[in-house]
Amino acid sequence: MSRLITTRNLARPDEVYAALIAAHDGRSAEESAAFNARLILTLVNHIGDEDILREALRVAGP
């Protein structure tokens, strides 16, 4: 079974963050929320491992 990677795993995290922020430029709050939902569902599908996804939900929760 794979484990969720919670340590830094990007070669260029600042550039990725900037791209994520730029993807919201010009969007309303509602459009940004819809974009985030589509992005999350796309990444969930890519991951495709229910155990990893459930662990991510626990880590991201309150």
Side-chain angles (χ1 to χ4, degrees):
M1 177 172 102
S2 297
R3 298 290 299 168
L4 179 68
I5 299 169
T6 58
T7 57
R8 184 173 143 177
N9 194 33
L10 292 169
R12 300 178 331 167
D14 292 338
E15 287 83 354
V16 172
Y17 179 77
L20 181 58
I21 295 304
H24 289 272
D25 284 349
R27 297 180 193 263
S28 67
E30 185 176 277
E31 291 167 334
S32 284
F35 172 83
N36 281 339
R38 290 189 304 273
L39 178 60
I40 290 166
L41 291 173
T42 299
L43 294 172
V44 162
N45 184 66
H46 175 76
I47 293 166
D49 183 315
E50 187 176 337
D51 291 335
I52 295 292
L53 294 168
R54 289 187 184 282
E55 187 175 351
L57 290 169
R58 282 191 301 276
V59 167

